[in-house]
Amino acid sequence: MAVFRTLLLIAGWCCSLVHAAELVVAVGVQDPAQVAMQGQALPSDMPGFEMVALNEDIAREICRRINARCSVHYVTVAEILPGIESRRFDIGFGNFLRSPERELQVAYSDAIWHSSSRLVGSPAAAKTFAGKLGQAVTLDNLRDARVIAVDGSQQRAFLQRIAGERGLTVIVTPTPVGAINALRDDSADFALLPILNAYALLSRDNPQQLEFVGPAVADRGLGGSVHIVLPKQQDELRRSVNRAIAAIRADGTFQRIVRQYFPLGLN
Amino acid sequence: MANPPDHNRISANRAFALLATAFALLFSAVVALLAFDQHRVLEASERLQQETVPAIIRFQRLARNLDQLRQEGERLFSSGTPEGRQQSLFIVMLVASHPSILDHPQSAETARDTESFLVETSRLAGQDPTLLKARHADWLHYSRRLSLLVDDLSVQGASLATDDLGDMVAVMRLARIKLIGALVLVGVFLLLMMALLRHHLIRPLQRIDHTLSSLGVDQPAPEFPDVRLTEIHAVEEATKRLHASLVSNEAARRELELLANRDGLTGLINRRHFMLMAESELQRAQRYGRPIAVALGDLDYFKRLNDTYGHGAGDAVLRTFAALLSDSVRQSDLVCRYGGEEFAFLFPESSVEQARILVERFRQRFADHDIQLPNGLLIRVTLSIGLADASHCPIEIALQRADFALYEAKRLGRNRVIVAEETI
């Protein structure tokens, strides 16, 4: 028993030497108003609440699993990658798809879910452009339209690439809510958004003014696996985060968090 | 038995090295076979883990998403409010936009068709809710198509695991057969090796051990059957040489013993040997109370004979005396050349009187015997004998008494037998 007590004392002494890591977590907001609500609980009726809450819950669960003390900051998506690169943030949640350009800036965790992109617009705009095009509007045949996308997103990068060829006018907004507002006030014809963000916003659109236009797209960098971003040369942190992701998937925590905000699994 | 020539034999070192090499090669081949199977199992396991299981999960996820699409379609038809239908429609759109569905062409097409149908249905129901019922029959077609696709994907996913597991089972079965075959092969090899060891090593060693245990000069020279191992053959040859050496040593020993115990001139036993044997005979006789007698004889005027005819004549007389003596005494009696022309006698199982008759008869015979000298001359020589009882005294005392009697015989004129008195 004396030996056991001694071992316990030594173990306790060792544990006291281990300090929890201090990490700064950036969560991409859906609405500019959320940036001003640092440290507060977001109202559940706030547009885009689901995406922010989902990311924040997953971030906090991962922090708990890696024994880190995390401070969560609400920022626009465009700020996250530079913030990670400059080491202002340690972990970034912004529903990031992989791209070669981003690979140069940051490191990626294992996939947390999969996503695609889809046009959103009003039925009237869809009808008008269908008339112009002579067929139902899709991302592949859209021409001469004003299309809005979130700054720093893959959707924006894609639109920039095809804008000249298609005669598109690309409008940039810092958040998905900004894109939806632009559609409502007719400053844009369509928005190209990640499907999950668009769903979260459209499902609150009452009365229904906007709808999905055309089929979803998952190729050309507009879909695929979604990742948490981390600073490069932080392999140990990346491995810890990956272990935490695997753990919360394995014990069902991840699925329970998703089900709090969305009616289906994200895998 | 004719042995094979040496070049047909093999060294034990080489034989065991060959056996060990053969066994090592066999065992290595077996291990290689099993390692190959293990590698295949590991490959299959890794494929199952890295490719098949994720693929199964993808199929399950796809099937689940398609089924949710179908359920949301049902919910759209059962919903009584435009808001409910809109919510269902959003989920349908969300699910239909999921990358897992977009990545699977058949699912993507089915989801796209389903979504279009439900969007149109929702739009028409917004204008006239009674149209829902009319379109439900069409919906059943989409729903059945989704269900069939869900079933197909589920079976397809399960089949992936079945195929991989089937491959693994086939490999494991093959490995089991190989393992059993390998065990049998190794067992047969060990039996063969034991049989070879027994035939070529253990049995020959046992034969050599048996031969060495009973090896003796009274045994015939050992014979061994043909052997293949050089070392065994060498030990057998050494055993044969050992037997020959034993026989040779025994002959030498006998010759040396003869030389040590016999008188070189007369061939009679010498004084030392006589004393040893007489001691033994006296002890035996005295232990059992048996009669025994000793006598000392001396050739009369032997010095004068030597001086007259030479030592060659003296030697001839001594040899003739000894030859005649050998023919005259009993086999159990001992006679030795005691020294010079003096001879000692021992008569076991004989009283003094019986011995006196024997020596008297011999004295007479010798005295009547013509001795031919080397120069052809025939002469006669007489003998004086002193006789004493040895039944109750040590040999030295008995001989001393016989010597006194001999002296008396000389004094009384020679060529006679005088029996010693009981006490001196």
Side-chain angles (χ1 to χ4, degrees):
Chain A
M1 281 304 287
V3 173
F4 185 64
R5 273 200 301 272
T6 307
L7 287 174
L8 276 178
L9 283 171
I10 292 171
W13 181 72
C14 290
C15 288
S16 69
L17 295 177
V18 178
H19 296 288
E22 302 269 355
L23 298 176
V24 181
V25 178
V27 174
V29 295
Q30 303 291 298
D31 187 339
Q34 291 164 344
V35 176
M37 300 179 72
Q38 303 288 348
Q40 301 175 34
L42 297 179
S44 61
D45 58 349
M46 197 172 193
F49 160 79
E50 292 85 355
M51 280 307 302
V52 178
L54 172 68
N55 277 327
E56 186 173 349
D57 282 3
I58 292 173
R60 292 193 184 284
E61 187 61 31
I62 287 174
C63 287
R64 193 174 68 78
R65 299 292 176 115
I66 64 175
N67 193 31
R69 191 175 301 140
C70 294
S71 57
V72 176
H73 293 252
Y74 297 144
V75 295
T76 58
V77 171
E79 292 179 76
I80 294 178
L81 292 180
I84 292 288
E85 199 175 8
S86 66
R87 307 295 293 273
R88 189 156 68 91
F89 306 126
D90 298 303
I91 305 177
F93 286 80
N95 307 338
F96 289 104
L97 298 167
R98 294 189 91 127
S99 75
E101 297 78 22
R102 288 173 174 174
E103 299 274 3
L104 299 173
Q105 290 179 276
V106 295
Y108 286 96
S109 71
D110 289 342
I112 48 175
W113 63 73
H114 292 78
S115 180
S116 61
S117 301
R118 201 161 183 181
L119 285 173
V120 176
S122 65
K127 190 175 179 181
T128 302
F129 275 84
K132 287 183 189 173
L133 297 169
Q135 56 185 325
V137 175
T138 68
L139 190 59
D140 293 329
N141 64 16
L142 184 63
R143 307 183 70 85
D144 303 322
R146 295 168 299 157
V147 186
I148 190 167
V150 176
D151 188 20
S153 68
Q154 285 290 93
Q155 290 77 17
R156 188 225 166 159
F158 172 76
L159 290 172
Q160 289 292 147
R161 285 200 301 274
I162 65 169
E165 177 193 341
R166 302 272 194 90
L168 299 177
T169 303
V170 180
I171 305 167
V172 178
T173 179
T175 63
V177 170
I180 296 298
N181 290 339
L183 293 176
R184 286 192 179 129
D185 64 18
D186 199 29
S187 54
D189 300 314
F190 300 100
L192 183 60
L193 295 172
I195 185 70
L196 205 59
N197 300 57
Y199 165 79
L201 296 172
L202 292 189
S203 62
R204 289 171 176 272
D205 191 26
N206 192 19
Q208 195 66 45
Q209 295 176 327
L210 302 172
E211 63 181 17
F212 287 114
V213 177
V217 179
D219 55 1
R220 290 165 281 178
L222 294 175
S225 54
V226 172
H227 303 263
I228 301 166
V229 290
L230 303 133
K232 280 183 171 292
Q233 279 83 44
Q234 286 275 341
D235 286 342
E236 184 52 43
L237 176 62
R238 186 173 55 80
R239 280 194 288 270
S240 300
V241 168
N242 286 342
R243 281 196 295 272
I245 291 170
I248 63 176
R249 278 189 190 285
D251 66 11
T253 304
F254 178 82
Q255 289 80 354
R256 280 192 290 278
I257 292 172
V258 170
R259 287 286 178 184
Q260 285 182 49
Y261 306 106
F262 293 96
L264 75 169
L266 299 181
N267 290 325
Chain B
M1 184 181 297
N3 279 335
D6 283 347
H7 64 262
N8 282 348
R9 293 198 177 87
I10 183 169
S11 156
N13 277 341
R14 186 174 294 177
F16 282 111
L18 281 173
L19 277 174
T21 305
F23 185 77
L25 286 174
L26 182 67
F27 198 72
S28 300
V30 169
V31 168
L33 279 174
L34 290 175
F36 177 68
D37 284 346
Q38 190 187 34
H39 178 69
R40 287 180 62 192
V41 170
L42 284 174
E43 269 187 345
S45 302
E46 199 169 344
R47 193 170 59 246
L48 191 66
Q49 190 177 11
Q50 302 290 337
E51 298 172 18
T52 310
V53 169
I56 291 169
I57 292 172
R58 281 198 298 275
F59 275 109
Q60 285 179 337
R61 188 184 301 147
L62 186 56
R64 191 188 62 202
N65 287 338
L66 288 171
D67 197 49
Q68 185 164 11
L69 195 63
R70 187 189 60 77
Q71 287 174 12
E72 291 302 327
E74 294 288 353
R75 198 152 72 90
L76 187 145
F77 274 94
S78 61
S79 177
T81 63
E83 291 77 16
R85 285 195 292 275
Q86 190 59 42
Q87 282 299 320
S88 296
L89 192 59
F90 273 131
I91 295 175
V92 165
M93 289 174 164
L94 183 61
V95 173
S97 304
H98 198 279
S100 67
I101 291 179
L102 298 178
D103 289 344
H104 192 258
Q106 189 183 0
S107 301
E109 185 186 351
T110 305
R112 204 163 43 241
D113 293 348
T114 303
E115 183 190 322
S116 299
F117 175 79
L118 291 174
V119 167
E120 182 63 14
T121 300
S122 180
R123 191 182 64 79
L124 292 173
Q127 297 168 359
D128 182 3
T130 59
L131 289 175
L132 272 178
K133 192 174 180 180
R135 289 181 68 86
H136 191 258
D138 292 336
W139 164 246
L140 289 179
H141 166 72
Y142 285 99
S143 177
R144 190 160 48 248
R145 192 173 152 193
L146 283 168
S147 296
L148 287 173
L149 189 54
V150 167
D151 290 346
D152 287 349
L153 290 170
S154 300
V155 171
Q156 213 172 333
S159 297
L160 288 176
T162 306
D163 293 346
D164 270 12
L165 289 172
D167 288 348
M168 284 176 68
V169 168
V171 172
M172 292 299 288
R173 280 187 179 146
L174 190 61
R176 187 173 60 182
I177 292 170
K178 284 180 184 174
L179 184 63
I180 292 170
L183 287 174
V184 170
L185 204 59
V186 170
V188 168
F189 185 86
L190 287 176
L191 285 175
L192 180 65
M193 195 170 73
M194 286 175 66
L196 288 173
L197 281 175
R198 181 178 166 76
H199 184 262
H200 290 290
L201 190 66
I202 296 173
R203 291 296 297 277
L205 284 175
Q206 286 173 336
R207 275 197 300 270
I208 290 168
D209 175 56
H210 178 73
T211 303
L212 285 173
S213 301
S214 59
L215 197 66
V217 293
D218 52 344
Q219 297 292 326
E223 290 292 337
F224 296 103
D226 177 26
V227 290
R228 289 285 171 193
L229 290 183
T230 307
E231 287 81 355
I232 296 292
H233 179 70
V235 175
E236 288 175 350
E237 290 301 308
T239 306
K240 289 179 183 175
R241 286 197 299 275
L242 177 63
H243 180 265
S245 177
L246 282 177
V247 171
S248 169
N249 288 343
E250 178 62 13
R253 190 191 66 79
R254 285 177 191 275
E255 195 172 342
L256 283 173
E257 189 181 50
L258 197 63
L259 289 172
N261 295 336
R262 295 282 170 173
D263 175 59
L265 179 64
T266 61
L268 297 173
I269 62 175
N270 60 21
R271 179 173 176 169
R272 186 186 62 80
H273 191 55
F274 175 83
M275 290 302 286
L276 285 173
M277 296 186 72
E279 188 81 37
S280 175
E281 284 293 331
L282 247 71
Q283 283 180 1
R284 188 184 62 78
Q286 289 173 3
R287 185 184 306 126
Y288 296 109
R290 304 303 300 170
I292 188 166
V294 295
L296 281 176
D298 188 82
L299 297 179
D300 296 333
Y301 304 111
F302 189 73
K303 185 176 181 304
R304 192 167 64 192
L305 186 146
N306 270 339
D307 293 343
T308 305
Y309 300 107
H311 286 286
D315 290 347
V317 170
L318 288 173
R319 278 195 293 269
T320 304
F321 173 80
L324 197 63
L325 193 58
S326 297
D327 286 346
S328 304
V329 298
R330 299 171 301 186
Q331 195 172 4
S332 58
D333 298 337
L334 286 178
V335 183
C336 81
R337 188 180 177 196
Y338 203 62
E341 70 278 19
E342 197 172 20
F343 297 88
F345 301 79
L346 182 72
F347 300 104
E349 297 294 329
S350 301
S351 64
V352 172
E353 187 54 34
Q354 289 169 328
R356 193 190 67 78
I357 295 169
L358 283 173
V359 297
E360 180 59 38
R361 188 187 305 151
F362 175 70
R363 184 200 60 77
Q364 188 60 53
R365 186 180 174 192
F366 183 63
D368 295 340
H369 188 75
D370 290 329
I371 301 171
Q372 188 172 24
L373 298 181
N375 58 5
L377 188 68
L378 291 175
I379 62 168
R380 287 188 177 182
V381 179
T382 60
L383 173 68
S384 299
I385 297 173
L387 185 62
D389 180 30
S391 304
H392 304 291
C393 61
I395 185 65
E396 292 82 5
I397 300 298
L399 284 172
Q400 193 178 9
R401 288 168 57 197
D403 193 36
F404 276 122
L406 172 61
Y407 178 76
E408 187 64 15
K410 292 282 188 183
R411 192 181 66 80
L412 292 175
R414 296 180 174 81
N415 193 22
R416 69 192 64 218
V417 175
I418 298 295
V419 176
E421 296 296 327
E422 283 298 317
T423 56
I424 298 172

